[in-house]
Amino acid sequence: MRKLVSAGEILVEIMAERIGQSFLEPGPLLGPYPSGAPAIFIGQAAALGQPAGLIGAVGDDDFGRLNIERLRALGADVSAIAVHKGHATGTAFVTYRADASRHFVFNIRNSASGLIETDGAATNLLASADHVHVMGSSLFSDRAVAVTLSAIETVKAKGGTVSFDPNIRREIMQASGVRAALDHVLARADIFLPSGEELFLFSSAKDEKGAVDELLARGLSCIVLKKGAAGAVYHDHHGAVASSGFAVDEVDPTGAGDCFGAAFVSFWLRGAAPAEALRIANACGALAVTRKGPMEGIFPLEAVEAFIVTGNTQ
Ligand code: ATP
Ligand code: MG
């Protein structure tokens, strides 16, 4: 089976317990939960049985161990996660507002994650990789951009493929070259997985069809538009396939897009038809929102298939 790799931020997430809770005063918190968009993605892909590994860095601390142990338990290749003494693992504090929007306090660039590099272990992992998945949020520093771009070049040079989820988090994406890097990644991508307004960051078109047509003409193989509870729509040069979402009680939306993307890309790599890849991806996205914590709603393939049949999330 083809191996997929991602590179970027590895964090713990700590969540305000109450909706509307402010970080300007003390309050109850939940966590730590393992997190970081590329870590969630690689964890979900591995849980579905896809060979998958992550390039990144954590501190020599409990938060780092929590992440590595979780990824290992899910079946991911953790050989290219560097452990740095003297630097703490990255953190993301999140509070949900009453309008369902999220407010984050991130510490990524100045955490162990900021030390990400293409070291010997990362080079070895890339030597066995067939596909690179890029999260826009992973372009959080010049150094992180360099790691991602070199991973793309290495894998493309041997005929591999690339997927790209813009996953825009403005609080993180402050590197001077981030806009150019996003465009560079898109130009090399085979699969593009935007959600909401992210589609229009890369197109001058005003409507969805215009933007999709313009982006497909630039060389993408396919575009998958994530639409939250409504599901997703796949577009390629032959047409579109829509797939509705699964009805679940949403308790925490963080991680849905990453789990969805991991499932879609894993099944695309296996040669699944778009409708099948979308069905599994919608199921993984729906399951992700049923648990507090971005990786707590990752399930193995058998449980995802059972959920598709029964709707049971236990
Ligand atoms: P993220 O917040 O992780 O960045 P995103 O904005 O990238 O998410 P969404 O469209 O919110 O992506 O969610 C991705 C997928 O997860 C959806 O296409 C859908 O399949 C599933 N999903 C998300 N929210 C729900 C929900 N409330 N009910 C059912 N499925 C959902
Ligand atoms: Mg997203």
Side-chain angles (χ1 to χ4, degrees):
M1 253 205 277
R2 296 173 75 196
K3 182 160 188 170
L4 67 89
V5 166
S6 192
E9 69 279 19
I10 302 174
L11 326 166
V12 292
E13 183 181 298
I14 295 167
M15 193 188 303
E17 194 177 314
R18 285 185 278 106
I19 304 276
Q21 188 175 323
S22 166
F23 283 148
L24 293 171
E25 58 193 40
L29 300 172
L30 297 172
Y33 296 109
S35 188
I40 303 165
F41 181 97
I42 289 299
Q44 176 69 80
L48 295 174
Q50 198 68 28
L54 180 61
I55 298 169
V58 295
D60 185 15
D61 54 27
D62 286 348
F63 290 171
R65 285 185 273 282
L66 171 65
N67 272 288
I68 289 176
E69 278 161 26
R70 177 64 63 87
L71 284 167
R72 190 181 281 130
L74 291 168
D77 182 337
V78 297
S79 61
I81 300 178
V83 179
H84 290 278
K85 288 193 193 308
H87 292 267
T89 299
T91 52
F93 290 80
V94 61
T95 184
Y96 292 96
R97 301 192 179 107
D99 67 0
S101 67
R102 289 171 284 192
H103 172 66
F104 289 99
V105 177
F106 286 112
N107 180 23
I108 297 177
R109 214 183 357 233
N110 298 319
S111 75
S113 271
L115 301 175
I116 188 169
E117 61 178 339
T118 310
D119 59 8
T123 303
N124 285 343
L125 178 62
L126 287 168
S128 67
D130 305 289
H131 182 93
V132 174
H133 179 75
V134 179
M135 290 286 177
S137 57
S138 298
L139 307 173
F140 57 81
S141 69
D142 294 345
R143 190 173 172 137
V145 168
V147 171
T148 292
L149 299 193
S150 102
I152 291 174
E153 297 325 314
T154 302
V155 170
K156 287 226 95 152
K158 53 181 179 168
T161 45
V162 174
S163 47
F164 174 42
D165 178 342
N167 200 39
I168 301 295
R169 298 281 181 271
R170 290 180 206 283
E171 306 94 319
I172 313 178
M173 298 162 74
Q174 303 287 341
S176 54
V178 70
R179 177 70 230 194
L182 289 167
D183 290 333
H184 182 99
V185 174
L186 182 67
R188 280 153 188 75
D190 299 280
I191 308 174
F192 180 46
L193 300 136
S195 84
E197 292 301 305
E198 289 171 349
L199 175 67
F200 298 101
L201 290 175
F202 299 92
S203 158
S204 51
K206 296 279 173 283
D207 62 288
E208 198 170 288
K209 183 174 186 322
V212 163
D213 289 347
E214 185 189 322
L215 290 172
L216 283 174
R218 283 202 235 147
L220 287 160
S221 291
C222 62
I223 301 175
V224 186
L225 305 175
K226 291 172 281 174
K227 294 181 176 285
V233 184
Y234 167 97
H235 294 269
D236 67 12
H237 298 275
H238 305 291
V241 180
S243 184
S244 35
F246 291 88
V248 289
D249 288 331
E250 178 179 299
V251 302
D252 178 8
T254 305
D258 313 327
C259 291
F260 174 98
F264 184 85
V265 172
S266 296
F267 277 76
W268 184 86
L269 286 171
R270 295 174 199 189
E276 187 194 354
L278 284 176
R279 191 164 44 92
I280 302 275
N282 275 328
C284 289
L287 285 166
V289 307
T290 64
R291 300 286 188 279
K292 284 194 170 166
M295 294 179 72
E296 310 311 304
I298 292 178
F299 292 89
L301 184 56
E302 311 76 69
V304 177
E305 284 171 340
F307 166 72
I308 289 171
V309 174
T310 65
N312 189 341
T313 63
Q314 290 311 303

